[in-house]
Amino acid sequence: MSSKNYELRPLQWDTEYFGVSSARVNLSGIIDEQGQEEIIEFCKGYDFVTISNLDNIKENNHWIGNRTNAFLADMNIQFLKVLADKQDYQDEKTYVVNCLSRNEQIVDIARKSFNYSRFFNDLKLPQEQAENIYLHWTECAFGQENKYFVISEREGNVAGYILFSFNEDSSVIELIAVDEKYQGQRVGKSLIQTMESFVIDKGTKKIKVGTQVDNVSAAQFYNAMGFKYVSCGSMYHLWRR
C-alpha cells in the first residue's frame, strides 16, 4: 500500500528471521491526519514496525512521538556518488562475481564485522538475531543472481568484500567489510574502485550507500572516496503494546 507521501509494506525476510510479524513504513513527505490514521491502522496488524522518516521531516517526528509509542532507534545518513567516465583502474586481486557460492572466508569476515546497527539499539529484539543480522544478510545473498560481491584477496585470503545490488538507475551498496588484519592496506579503496568500473560497464553511473550517523569511520571513508552526503533520516521502531 502506498500514497504520494508514504509506503506501507510487510517484511517477510524480517518476519522469518526475527520470528515476529514485521513491516515497514517509509515516509517521504508530510503526513496529514488521514494518512496518519491509515498508517496507525496498518501498524496494528504487526508486532514490529520500522518507521523511516526519510528526510527527518519535523512534522512527522512530531506526530510519531505524540500518537505512537515508537522510539528513535537510529539516524541513517545516505551518500551518493555520481560516476564520470570509467577510470583506468585494475587490481587483479579484486573482482566482481554474482550468484556466488557460499564462501566461508566471507562468512568469517561478516561474523566479525559490523559494530553499528539500529537493531543493536532495540532491547526487544532477540539478542542473538540482532547481533548476527548482517551475517545472515550475507549468507542469504549467496547463490542469488541479483546479488553481487566485490571480493578483494591478499596473500590468497579474502581480505574484504562489498555486497551490492541494482535498483532502477542506481547500484546500492548493501554491506562492506574488511578483515581487521588487512585494514589500512587500501583494501576498501580497491573494493570501491573495482565496483565503480563494473557498474559503469553495466550502464549505471550512480552508487548509493547508507550508514548509521554514529558510524563516523564509515562516513569519513565514503567522503574520502568521493561520495556526497544527500540526506539524513530518522528510524523509529514501533512495537505492538
Side-chain angles (χ1 to χ4, degrees):
M1 183 187 303
S2 63
S3 77
K4 178 181 178 181
N5 290 334
Y6 64 84
E7 175 193 19
L8 313 176
R9 56 187 176 92
L11 296 177
Q12 181 179 353
W13 190 94
D14 298 61
T15 297
E16 294 175 354
Y17 181 67
F18 289 117
V20 292
S21 59
S22 305
R24 185 175 179 116
V25 176
N26 292 325
L27 310 179
S28 55
I30 298 174
I31 307 301
D32 60 20
E33 283 196 28
Q34 180 181 346
Q36 293 171 29
E37 293 292 342
E38 292 174 354
I39 290 169
I40 291 170
E41 191 62 30
F42 170 81
C43 292
K44 290 179 181 178
Y46 299 88
D47 295 317
F48 171 50
V49 180
T50 298
I51 304 176
S52 175
N53 187 17
L54 295 176
D55 290 308
N56 198 31
I57 298 169
K58 61 183 179 181
E59 291 86 353
N60 292 338
N61 288 332
H62 182 74
W63 74 259
I64 291 169
N66 279 343
R67 301 198 62 188
T68 77
N69 68 332
F71 67 92
L72 184 65
D74 187 26
M75 296 293 292
N76 181 271
I77 48 178
Q78 293 290 318
F79 294 89
L80 171 68
K81 185 170 185 179
V82 179
L83 305 174
D85 295 333
K86 184 176 179 179
Q87 301 296 309
D88 185 19
Y89 176 81
Q90 287 186 332
D91 178 357
E92 62 182 16
K93 297 179 180 179
T94 305
Y95 53 92
V96 179
V97 60
N98 75 311
C99 207
L100 177 68
S101 299
R102 183 181 175 92
N103 182 300
E104 293 301 331
Q105 290 188 352
I106 289 177
V107 170
D108 187 55
I109 293 173
R111 183 178 290 110
K112 295 184 296 185
S113 303
F114 309 116
N115 298 316
Y116 299 91
S117 170
R118 62 185 172 88
F119 300 106
F120 302 166
N121 299 331
D122 192 332
L123 297 179
K124 290 189 176 182
L125 286 170
Q127 183 177 2
E128 182 177 354
Q129 282 92 332
E131 291 176 351
N132 292 313
I133 188 167
Y134 296 120
L135 168 61
H136 187 62
W137 190 333
T138 301
E139 291 177 319
C140 288
F142 292 131
Q144 301 299 313
E145 291 187 3
N146 63 337
K147 300 292 185 180
Y148 295 79
F149 284 86
V150 191
I151 300 171
S152 188
E153 297 182 349
R154 299 290 186 274
E155 303 168 333
N157 300 312
V158 175
Y161 75 96
I162 290 175
L163 170 61
F164 74 96
S165 55
F166 290 93
N167 182 16
E168 298 178 346
D169 66 340
S170 303
S171 53
V172 181
I173 295 176
E174 299 183 18
L175 299 172
I176 178 171
V178 176
D179 191 303
E180 57 184 0
K181 63 187 174 185
Y182 295 107
Q183 292 177 6
Q185 300 183 31
R186 303 172 70 87
V187 173
K189 182 176 182 179
S190 180
L191 289 167
I192 292 290
Q193 290 180 321
T194 300
M195 177 180 171
E196 290 176 2
S197 296
F198 181 85
V199 300
I200 286 177
D201 285 343
K202 289 286 190 180
T204 299
K205 290 198 171 183
K206 293 180 182 179
I207 301 180
K208 296 179 179 180
V209 66
T211 192
Q212 290 71 35
V213 71
D214 54 351
N215 193 348
V216 176
S217 60
Q220 291 175 333
F221 170 72
Y222 295 130
N223 183 65
M225 292 303 303
F227 287 79
K228 303 300 182 184
Y229 165 90
V230 291
S231 67
C232 179
S234 41
M235 307 291 291
Y236 292 88
H237 284 185
L238 173 64
W239 287 88
R240 180 156 32 185
R241 293 183 186 273

